[in-house]
Amino acid sequence: MITKLIVRGLVAGLLAGLLAAVFAYTVGEPRIDQAIALEEAAAAASPAGPHDDTGTAAHSHDEEEALVSRDGQRFGLFLALGLYGLAIGGLFSLVYAAVRGRAGPRSEPVLAVTLAAAAFTSVVLIPFMKYPANPPAVGDPETIDQRTVLYLVAVLIGILAVAAGTAAYRYASRSEPWVRWLSAGATFVIPVVAAWILLPEISEVPRGFPADLLWDFRVASIGTQAVFWAGIGALFAFAARRRGPV
């Protein structure tokens, strides 16, 4: 049974990853190109010019990154999201197997969609609301460790908030529906709001960076994740309905 679920999850994850890659390539890549162009223009216009402190010619950002061309990066986008989909699909099937019959809807297709929505909310949406994605031209390399740790903390808080809300809903299962939903909502919202207030802000968007480009990039970023999780939920649900219980 577990083997069939894992295979189902791997296939659903791979296909969802490729769907997300198509979305990212179509919607996100043009914004990345624009951000890189802005970064290169700013570097070329800097007073120091293309020289280092010793007066010798220094490599520009695009020369340092030329080890992988933009075409190579675009191919890597599909490869990375495909591998990401395989990994997440395998984990998704294990979590699905663990909660099936113990929590959530009894219908397997509905459970798959619900689980995907919960995963998207906890590991993507909640962290994104506090620390949204930035294009390549935004961000200080010296703060990358701090930003990574804070983002992982936000992910952990998102997971705990969703788990707490689910537990509260189940605990109040004998109560009136409005009591169950109120309990679940309050238990979910409180840690999210606390994290929003207590976690430090990170604002590294340079002055003068186009607001519309930043907005479009962030929409493309969250959209890619939304396509992925919607895809894995729908594909897993379709397989559950088509093949029946395992």
Side-chain angles (χ1 to χ4, degrees):
M1 179 181 71
I2 294 297
T3 301
K4 291 182 179 179
L5 282 176
I6 291 176
V7 171
R8 180 186 297 177
L10 292 175
V11 173
L14 176 61
L15 294 177
L18 294 178
L19 285 174
V22 171
F23 179 90
Y25 179 82
T26 304
V27 179
E29 282 296 305
R31 277 70 188 177
I32 294 178
D33 289 337
Q34 294 176 39
I36 291 174
L38 284 173
E39 186 179 22
E40 292 173 349
S46 64
H51 293 80
D52 59 20
D53 293 337
T54 65
T56 59
H59 292 290
S60 64
H61 175 77
D62 59 325
E63 289 173 333
E64 293 173 353
E65 299 296 333
L67 292 175
V68 181
S69 65
R70 286 293 292 141
D71 289 337
Q73 292 173 11
R74 293 185 182 98
F75 171 77
L77 171 68
F78 283 85
L79 179 62
L81 283 174
L83 294 176
Y84 172 78
L86 283 172
I88 295 299
L91 290 174
F92 183 87
S93 60
L94 292 177
V95 175
Y96 179 91
V99 302
R100 187 178 63 169
R102 300 178 179 87
R106 296 296 178 180
S107 168
E108 293 200 6
V110 176
L111 175 61
V113 174
T114 302
L115 186 59
F120 171 77
T121 301
S122 60
V123 305
V124 178
L125 185 59
I126 292 176
F128 187 89
M129 291 173 62
K130 182 65 178 180
Y131 301 118
N134 289 325
V138 176
D140 183 359
E142 295 183 358
T143 65
I144 188 170
D145 291 338
Q146 178 193 15
R147 286 184 280 130
T148 301
V149 170
L150 289 174
Y151 187 84
L152 292 176
V153 170
V155 170
L156 179 60
I157 291 171
I159 294 173
L160 292 176
V162 170
T166 303
Y169 184 88
R170 293 188 62 195
Y171 182 79
S173 59
R174 296 182 181 276
S175 304
E176 296 293 328
W178 69 269
V179 174
R180 295 200 302 268
W181 286 108
L182 181 62
S183 301
T187 310
F188 168 78
V189 169
I190 289 173
V192 172
V193 172
W196 182 277
I197 295 173
L198 297 176
L199 288 177
E201 295 284 344
I202 297 180
S203 180
E204 298 182 342
V205 179
R207 182 175 299 177
F209 191 88
D212 56 344
L213 176 57
L214 181 64
W215 172 260
D216 290 343
F217 178 85
R218 288 176 173 175
V219 169
S221 176
I222 193 70
T224 299
Q225 289 290 338
V227 168
F228 173 78
W229 286 105
I232 197 170
L235 290 167
F236 204 94
F238 175 80
R241 181 181 293 275
R242 183 77 177 268
R243 300 180 182 179
V246 293

